[in-house]
Each structure stands twice: as C-alpha cells, then as structure tokens.
C-alpha cells in the first residue's frame, strides 16, 4: 500500500493522538499560512495595521 493512499480513517492511533494532543499538523499548517500572508504583506510594503510604509 502506498503511503499517500493511507487515510486517517485507517489509522485509529492517529485519531487517538489528535484527541489527546491536538492536531499539531493542522496547527502548523495554519501558522505557516498566516506567516506566509504576513511576509507577503511585509514584502509588499504593508504594515500589520494595513497602512503603507512609514515615511
């Protein structure tokens, strides 16, 4: 069986770990997406408040 064909429904230990410890993979994905968004804004000269670069 290929690794990419394994679904979480087939891995009860994975679901058990998520219940016990939280979905660390999902949390990391969300943080990575937020960071990527912030860096894109920073590289485009935007500040976190949505204002342009200071003069």
């Amino acid at each position: 069986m290929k690794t990419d064909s394994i679904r979480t429904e087939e891995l009860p230990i994975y679901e058990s770990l998520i219940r016990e410890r939280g979905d660390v993979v999902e949390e990391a994905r969300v943080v990575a997406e937020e960071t990527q968004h912030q860096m894109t804004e920073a590289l485009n000269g935007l500040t976190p408040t949505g204002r342009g670069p200071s003069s």
Side-chain angles (χ1 to χ4, degrees):
M1 177 181 262
K2 292 184 199 174
T3 305
D4 60 354
S5 67
I6 297 175
R7 299 188 337 227
T8 57
E9 298 88 35
E10 298 168 349
L11 300 172
I13 188 77
Y14 183 74
E15 290 180 16
S16 174
L17 287 171
I18 289 174
R19 280 192 302 275
E20 291 175 19
R21 308 273 180 164
D23 193 345
V24 177
V25 175
E26 174 65 15
E27 291 173 20
R29 184 190 62 76
V30 169
V31 171
E33 287 176 354
E34 290 172 355
T35 302
Q36 184 178 18
H37 177 72
Q38 291 171 356
M39 291 303 101
T40 299
E41 287 185 342
L43 291 171
N44 288 329
L46 301 175
T47 60
T49 60
R51 291 179 274 159
S54 3
S55 310

